[in-house]
Amino acid sequence: MTLPNFLIIGATKSGTTALHTYLQQHPEIFMSKTKELRFFSYLSSPPLPEVPEKYIFKGVTTLEEYKSHFKDVTNQKIIGETSPMYLYYSGTAEQIKNTLPNVKLLAILRNPVDRAFSAYSHALRDWLETSNSFQEALAKEPKRIKAGWGILWHYTQAGLYYEQLSRYYAVFNPDQIKVVLYDDLVKDVGDLCKNIFKFLRVDENFLPDTSKHHNVSGIPKNKKIHSIMKSVFFDNNPFKRISLLIFPKSFSKRVMVDLRMINLEKQAVPDKTRKDLLNLFKTDIMMLEKLIDRDLSCWFNE
C-alpha cells in the first residue's frame, strides 16, 4: 500500500491548515482527508492519569491504519499529510527517516509570540482554556507540560524553532527540507504556493482557491455569550438532542462555528508580555536566522 512522500511538519498555529487545503486542490497532489494523523509523533512519557482526555492529542498508532489514509491515491505524484506535532516532539525526525527516508518536508514558521497568542486564542475559542488571561496561561505552561497536556498548551516551548528544526537538519539532507514563513503566506499566498509546487516538482502554474480563511482563532468579545454557546452546543440539552435528530452533524457544527465567529475578535498581545516573550525567544530566533538563511528582524518589530 501507498505511503507519503511529503509531510507538512509544522509549526502549530502557523498556517498549516491553510497550506494543507491549498495543496489538496492540486491535481498532482494527494493530501490525506484527515489532517493531523500524528503517526510519527514521539511522546517520551504518557500523560498523568488526572489529565482530562480533551487535553490529550491522540493519533494513528499502527502502520496499517496509517496506510489506510492513502488508499484513495490514484496517479498523483505527491502523497502527503500534515501533522504539526512532527516538528515539535523529539524523536519524530528519526522515526520519519526510518520509514520514509526520501520524504520531502515542509515547515512553516510564525513569529513565536504571535504563534503562542494564536494558540491561546484557539484554546479559548474551543472552550479549552480555563485561565483568565494569556499571562496566567503562560504561568501554567510548565506544570501542564510536565503533566502531559497536548502541544496546543505548550505556548512558548512550541515556538523554539531552531531547536526543533535542527533535529531535522541533523537527520535529513537539507535538499529534502523547505522552510517558509507565515509572513510569506500573508504577503502573497499565490507566490508561496508556486514556490511550494516548485519544491514538490508539480505544475507551478496551478492556482488553488485561497479565498477562504481556515482555522481562524480569536478572543471572545462576550465571555458570557461564549459560555452559553458551549452549553447549547455541547452539554446534554433538549436543543442539542432535537437538532441532532433533524439536522446532519456537519450542519450543526457549521452553525456552531458561524455563530461562534460572530462573537470573536482579534486582540493584540499586551505590550509588556510581547516584550518579555521576545526576550525569551531572542537567542533562538537569531540562531534560526542562520539555520534557514532568512532575515527575521521583522519579528522583533511587529
Side-chain angles (χ1 to χ4, degrees):
M1 294 182 72
T2 307
L3 281 172
N5 55 15
F6 170 61
L7 299 174
I8 299 178
I9 59 175
T12 62
K13 301 306 299 177
S14 298
T16 58
T17 300
L19 289 184
H20 183 98
T21 304
Y22 301 155
L23 269 60
Q24 203 169 39
Q25 298 174 39
H26 198 294
E28 295 179 86
I29 299 175
F30 178 95
M31 298 296 291
S32 63
K33 291 181 181 178
T34 301
K35 182 177 175 280
E36 301 198 35
L37 299 178
R38 305 165 182 159
F39 175 63
F40 296 104
S41 300
Y42 175 78
L43 297 176
S44 57
S45 58
L48 296 179
E50 63 265 26
V51 179
E53 285 283 320
K54 62 183 179 180
Y55 299 124
I56 303 170
F57 291 167
K58 297 181 179 180
V60 173
T61 58
T62 69
L63 184 59
E64 287 306 308
E65 183 185 357
Y66 187 61
K67 288 179 178 179
S68 71
H69 287 272
F70 309 99
K71 60 181 175 61
D72 295 327
V73 172
T74 53
N75 60 347
Q76 292 92 346
K77 291 172 60 176
I78 297 299
I79 303 149
E81 61 117 336
T82 302
S83 293
M85 288 171 65
Y86 289 167
L87 180 62
Y88 181 59
Y89 286 105
S90 61
T92 303
E94 290 81 0
Q95 293 207 53
I96 294 173
K97 178 71 172 182
N98 288 338
T99 306
L100 309 172
N102 299 314
V103 70
K104 290 193 172 186
L105 304 162
L106 175 66
I108 179 167
L109 309 179
R110 184 179 187 177
N111 180 317
V113 178
D114 295 328
R115 193 221 64 81
F117 193 64
S118 179
Y120 167 72
S121 302
H122 180 120
L124 276 181
R125 182 199 73 185
D126 289 357
W127 300 282
L128 293 170
E129 178 54 74
T130 57
S131 301
N132 294 314
S133 67
F134 184 39
Q135 292 86 342
E136 182 183 333
L138 292 173
K140 291 179 179 178
E141 181 181 341
K143 186 176 180 179
R144 288 172 167 180
I145 291 177
K146 188 174 181 180
W149 285 43
I151 187 176
L152 182 63
W153 297 273
H154 298 211
Y155 296 128
T156 59
Q157 292 302 301
L160 296 171
Y161 306 133
Y162 171 77
E163 176 185 336
Q164 298 161 26
L165 270 176
S166 293
R167 296 194 285 260
Y168 280 86
Y169 279 100
V171 172
F172 289 94
N173 187 314
D175 291 341
Q176 293 176 247
I177 305 170
K178 185 172 183 62
V179 180
V180 299
L181 302 181
Y182 180 81
D183 309 70
D184 303 330
L185 181 68
V186 173
K187 182 180 179 181
D188 192 336
V189 61
D191 186 61
L192 175 61
C193 287
K194 186 171 184 177
N195 286 330
I196 294 172
F197 294 153
K198 184 176 182 180
F199 169 66
L200 297 176
R201 296 184 180 179
V202 295
D203 182 9
E204 301 171 29
N205 297 313
F206 176 79
L207 298 174
D209 179 4
T210 60
S211 60
K212 185 177 179 181
H213 292 184
H214 299 273
N215 203 19
V216 178
S217 300
I219 304 294
K221 290 183 281 189
N222 188 304
K223 292 182 179 180
K224 187 173 183 179
I225 291 176
H226 196 63
S227 179
I228 291 173
M229 279 195 285
K230 179 180 183 296
S231 299
V232 169
F233 288 105
F234 290 95
D235 294 346
N236 189 12
N237 59 74
F239 173 81
K240 181 180 178 180
R241 291 195 294 270
I242 293 172
S243 66
L244 287 175
L245 290 173
I246 299 175
F247 304 109
K249 190 175 181 180
S250 59
F251 175 80
S252 299
K253 182 179 180 180
R254 188 163 63 249
V255 170
M256 183 272 290
V257 170
D258 290 344
L259 289 176
R260 184 179 62 185
M261 281 299 299
I262 295 173
N263 190 45
L264 296 179
E265 65 179 0
K266 291 292 183 182
Q267 291 186 12
V269 181
D271 289 342
K272 184 180 185 307
T273 304
R274 176 176 288 277
K275 183 177 179 180
D276 291 343
L277 288 178
L278 281 174
N279 285 333
L280 174 68
F281 291 123
K282 183 176 180 180
T283 299
D284 188 84
I285 292 174
M286 293 174 68
M287 295 173 73
L288 178 66
E289 284 184 314
K290 296 177 181 178
L291 181 67
I292 66 174
D293 194 24
R294 288 285 301 260
D295 178 10
L296 301 175
S297 57
C298 60
W299 287 0
F300 293 99
N301 300 325
E302 293 179 7

